[in-house]
Amino acid sequence: MDSKALYNLSYGLYVITSKKESRLNGQVANTVFQISSEPVTIAISLNKNNLTNEYVRESKLFVVSVLSQDAPLSLIGQLGFKSGRDTDKFNGVNYLLSQNGIPYLADNTLAYIGARVISEIDALTHTVFIGEVTEAEILKEGTPMTYAYYQQVKKGSVSKNAPTYIKNQVQETASGKAGKFVCSVCGYIYDPETGDPDNGVPAGTPFEKLPPDWVCPVCGAAKSEFKEEPRG
C-alpha cells in the first residue's frame, strides 16, 4: 500500500477544546467535518491517548475554533505538541468561554462552533465524536488555515497522535533538500529561503546565522536539537 495516496485528501486546521469539571484543555486537530444540516451535526477525530479525548467523553461537550491562515506556529505548537497533563495550554492564550463554559480562541480564529456529543465511534487509535451543533459564531473574515498550507508554506510538522501521521513522513519530506535543518523533537523544517518571519527571522537567513537563543517555532526546542539534512 502506498500511504502517500492519502496526502491527496484535504484537511483544515482547528483547535478542539473541552472541559472536565472546572479544568479546561484543548488540542490542535485536522479532522472536523459536517455530517448533516437538519439538525446540524459535525464530527471530530481525537486520539485516545490525548487528554482532550478524555474531557470530551466526560463532559459530552466540545468547541471547534477554526484557525486563520495567519495563526503563528508558536500557537499551534503550544496547543498541538504539548500535553495538558503537565502544562497549562492556555497560558498566554487569549480565549473566551462559550455558552457551555468551553474555551474558544479569541485571536487567530475565524469562527467557533460548539457542539453536544450525541454519538461516538471507536476508530482503533482514535475516537470519532459526532456532535449536534448548539452554537456558532463568526469572529472575523479571513482565509482558514488548511493542512496543506500549514505543512507546505509554514513548514509545520505533524504530531504522532494526529490521525494523518505517517511514520517516517518527516524524513521522506525533508530528505535530500539542501540547506534545510530538521527539529529532532517535532520534525519542523527550517528552510533558509523562507526564514522564520513569525519570529523576526527574514528570508535568506542561514541556519548558522540564527540568534543563539532562537528556538523551534513549533515546539520550543533549542538550536542544538536541529540536524542538517544531507544535500541531494
Side-chain angles (χ1 to χ4, degrees):
M1 180 180 73
D2 188 352
S3 59
K4 291 182 180 179
L6 298 173
Y7 295 172
N8 292 292
L9 297 177
S10 58
Y11 303 88
L13 211 62
Y14 315 93
V15 171
I16 310 295
T17 48
S18 190
K19 68 177 181 178
K20 184 177 181 180
E21 298 174 346
S22 62
R23 291 171 291 175
L24 307 176
N25 197 61
Q27 68 165 81
V28 174
N30 61 10
T31 307
V32 177
F33 54 96
Q34 185 173 350
I35 298 291
S36 63
S37 59
E38 293 185 7
V40 179
T41 59
I42 59 175
I44 61 174
S45 178
L46 302 177
N47 192 289
K48 292 179 181 179
N49 293 326
N50 288 359
L51 188 62
T52 306
N53 185 306
E54 176 185 326
Y55 280 23
V56 173
R57 177 172 283 110
E58 178 79 14
S59 68
K60 303 300 181 184
L61 298 168
F62 65 86
V63 167
V64 176
S65 295
V66 182
L67 293 178
S68 61
Q69 189 169 273
D70 57 2
L73 284 175
S74 57
L75 175 66
I76 298 170
Q78 179 164 337
L79 292 167
F81 287 87
K82 296 180 180 180
S83 172
R85 293 184 174 88
D86 50 34
T87 186
D88 178 6
K89 287 194 172 186
F90 293 100
N91 183 31
V93 175
N94 187 18
Y95 68 91
L96 298 171
L97 296 179
S98 69
Q99 297 173 9
N100 291 320
I102 309 296
Y104 63 91
L105 274 59
D107 298 328
N108 308 117
T109 303
L110 301 182
Y112 79 90
I113 304 166
R116 175 180 57 84
V117 176
I118 58 174
S119 180
E120 61 180 79
I121 302 169
D122 188 323
L124 302 180
T125 58
H126 287 66
T127 305
V128 176
F129 294 99
I130 299 176
E132 181 176 354
V133 173
T134 57
E135 57 182 300
E137 183 178 345
I138 294 175
L139 301 180
K140 69 174 184 177
E141 298 297 328
T143 303
M145 177 92 75
T146 65
Y147 204 47
Y149 186 90
Y150 166 68
Q151 289 189 299
Q152 297 169 12
V153 179
K154 298 184 79 71
K155 308 300 181 183
S157 50
V158 183
S159 168
K160 65 179 180 180
N161 286 342
T164 54
Y165 175 80
I166 298 175
K167 190 175 182 180
N168 298 326
Q169 179 180 10
V170 171
Q171 289 82 349
E172 291 176 1
T173 301
S175 179
K177 294 184 178 180
K180 297 183 174 60
F181 287 74
V182 180
C183 176
S184 61
V185 176
C186 73
Y188 166 79
I189 302 171
Y190 177 77
D191 185 349
E193 291 187 4
T194 56
D196 179 14
D198 286 346
N199 293 293
V201 178
T205 303
F207 185 80
E208 58 270 17
K209 296 294 184 181
L210 291 173
D213 59 350
W214 180 86
V215 296
C216 174
V218 174
C219 70
K223 284 180 64 178
S224 59
E225 298 290 346
F226 281 71
K227 64 178 182 179
E228 185 176 12
E229 283 299 315
R231 297 176 182 272

